[in-house]
Amino acid sequence: MASDTSTSPAGAPAPAPDARASSTAGVPTSVDQGVRLEFPVADGVPRLPEAERAEILESPGFGRHFTDHMARAVWTPAGWGQDAVVAHGPITLSPAAAVLHYAQEVFEGMKAYRHADGSVWAFRPDANARRFAASARRLALPVLPEAAFLRSVEQLVAADVDWVPGGGENSLYLRPFMFASESFLGVRPAAEVTYLCIASPAGSYFGGGEITPVSIWLSQEYSRAAPGGTGAAKCGGNYAASLQAQAEAAEHGCDQVAFLDAVEHRWVEELGGMNLFFVHDDGTVVTPELTGTILEGVTRSSVLQIAADLGHEVVERRVDVAEWREGCETGRITEVFACGTAAVVTPVGALVEPGRRSVPGDGGTGAVTAAIRQRLTDVQQGRAEDAHGWMHRLV
């Protein structure tokens, strides 16, 4: 085996694979008949002392601290197996592990929220499960059945429920991911794939608070994705491709970078990790349409529904960057905001380019942005009716 995931939590032989899931072409398929992954929780996992955990939860930051457990499963051409919730810790990979050479991996991001009554809920995890499967197909990875995806999250959160922070908009950030763990340098879909889900208590994604407007650098040189590429998949390569442009944004004093299309370099696509929305002076809410180069964000689709619920006309269409600039200058565009799982809904205070700064409205948090954000976080935190059945109880 290429990783240390080849034994069950108690050291006993790994359970038999549950189902066959491969094709004659060597690319895993979505066949999942008979797959029953239960993710039992291992005994004897060391836990961080309560006092230390409480100190972390007072100010968790984002992505800096991790819970005691992680969920795990392994796929081979015989099917999925070796499912368990085990101790969070380092994994052992061969230097020849395919992921290190060919970046065959995908991931998801989602959150668990502690409600006022102490119960813990996830926001639209079924949508994350479906997108995880779609990303896997694009990267020629095996599809983890939706039921198994949800079960891994449920079992992990149940094991680490004391790590779910309460108060404000704190949450437990969940990161399911899978990668090619086979030790093999040939260029083909890997014959061993490892799935893991880790958890991290989370506060505000942006240091100034999620409601603080951010400035956006318009990338002049780099593209995030191209037609026919992996832009619609949630894979690490897309994010790696954004980092140089993000560094350039930081050099110009900006918080994030916006990308244009790779063909004409005029159509607004998305930020390095968030979708964009534009509010017009007539109340219309516009977002770039999905073209195969833009990630179909779970928060994005939720915002579209919430905006409609609040009485706004919602439009998905191509947005020319010239429209963004001129809309700010003329007052046609009154608000701009970005959204994503980590940052929720974040106002955009300015689009920055060499010698130019386009500011919507007064550059602050607009009323529409604030209302959409409030409605979304109220549903997530259990303060408002879940009219669309988005919340899934974990504990």
Side-chain angles (χ1 to χ4, degrees):
M1 285 291 193
S3 70
D4 66 353
T5 59
S6 59
T7 59
S8 61
D18 300 279
R20 180 165 295 277
S22 63
S23 71
T24 55
V27 179
T29 71
S30 60
V31 176
D32 61 9
Q33 291 92 333
V35 172
R36 294 292 183 270
L37 301 181
E38 293 298 332
F39 293 93
V41 180
D43 295 327
V45 171
R47 294 179 180 271
L48 194 70
E50 182 178 353
E52 293 182 40
R53 184 178 66 246
E55 183 177 355
I56 290 171
L57 295 183
E58 281 293 316
S59 182
F62 186 88
R64 294 189 290 113
H65 305 282
F66 299 91
T67 66
D68 301 312
H69 294 81
M70 63 183 181
R72 177 211 67 198
V74 177
W75 179 91
T76 69
W80 284 102
Q82 303 178 46
D83 51 308
V85 174
V86 299
H88 178 105
I91 57 176
T92 301
L93 285 176
S94 163
V99 66
L100 302 177
H101 302 272
Y102 308 123
Q104 193 187 10
E105 65 80 41
V106 297
F107 69 97
E108 270 301 318
M110 50 201 294
K111 288 180 176 180
Y113 303 88
R114 186 180 294 280
H115 289 183
D117 63 359
S119 61
V120 178
W121 301 71
F123 180 71
R124 303 190 68 184
D126 54 332
N128 291 98
R130 290 191 295 271
R131 188 173 65 181
F132 194 61
S135 296
R137 292 187 187 98
R138 180 61 184 87
L139 273 292
L141 287 161
V143 169
L144 184 70
E146 182 176 332
F149 180 97
L150 295 175
R151 179 67 172 172
S152 72
V153 170
E154 291 167 349
Q155 289 290 87
L156 175 59
V157 174
D160 286 335
V161 66
D162 291 340
W163 280 91
V164 184
E169 294 179 8
N170 291 336
S171 62
L172 184 68
Y173 184 79
L174 299 161
R175 172 56 60 86
F177 61 105
M178 77 165 70
F179 58 92
S181 49
E182 181 189 8
S183 177
F184 180 66
L185 294 182
V187 182
R188 60 155 171 74
E192 180 192 284
V193 172
T194 298
Y195 166 79
L196 296 173
C197 182
I198 58 178
S200 173
S204 173
Y205 184 74
F206 292 110
E210 292 170 86
I211 201 63
T212 303
V214 295
S215 56
I216 304 298
W217 174 254
L218 182 66
S219 181
Q220 309 287 322
E221 181 179 356
Y222 302 104
S223 297
R224 175 188 169 274
T230 60
K234 196 168 179 68
C235 61
N238 294 341
Y239 293 77
S242 74
L243 296 180
Q244 181 60 38
Q246 179 64 43
E248 185 179 81
E251 290 174 1
H252 289 85
C254 294
D255 303 289
Q256 276 285 323
V257 61
F259 292 98
L260 303 178
D261 73 289
V263 179
E264 298 182 70
H265 304 289
R266 61 179 285 201
W267 303 108
V268 178
E269 295 213 320
E270 61 177 283
L271 305 185
M274 292 184 285
N275 295 114
L276 277 165
F277 282 82
F278 303 87
V279 181
H280 287 197
D281 55 1
D282 63 357
T284 302
V285 176
V286 179
T287 193
E289 65 184 1
L290 300 177
T291 59
T293 57
I294 297 174
L295 184 67
E296 186 176 359
V298 176
T299 307
R300 174 187 181 275
S301 66
S302 305
V303 165
L304 287 170
Q305 182 62 62
I306 289 172
D309 292 346
L310 293 174
H312 297 278
E313 180 183 358
V314 294
V315 179
E316 297 177 73
R317 61 169 174 81
R318 294 205 295 178
V319 177
D320 195 317
V321 68
E323 179 186 351
W324 187 349
R325 299 185 188 109
E326 294 164 9
C328 290
E329 293 172 359
T330 64
R332 172 64 171 157
I333 293 177
T334 57
E335 304 174 37
V336 181
F337 64 87
C339 71
T341 297
V344 193
V345 171
T346 301
V348 172
L351 175 67
V352 182
E353 305 171 65
R356 188 170 194 155
R357 189 178 183 90
S358 303
V359 178
D362 62 3
T365 302
V368 175
T369 300
I372 291 173
R373 188 179 193 280
Q374 188 66 54
R375 176 68 64 86
L376 177 59
T377 55
D378 282 350
V379 171
Q380 291 171 334
Q381 298 286 345
R383 298 187 296 258
E385 178 189 1
D386 178 18
H388 301 289
W390 285 339
M391 304 305 294
H392 178 91
R393 185 164 185 166
L394 301 174
V395 179

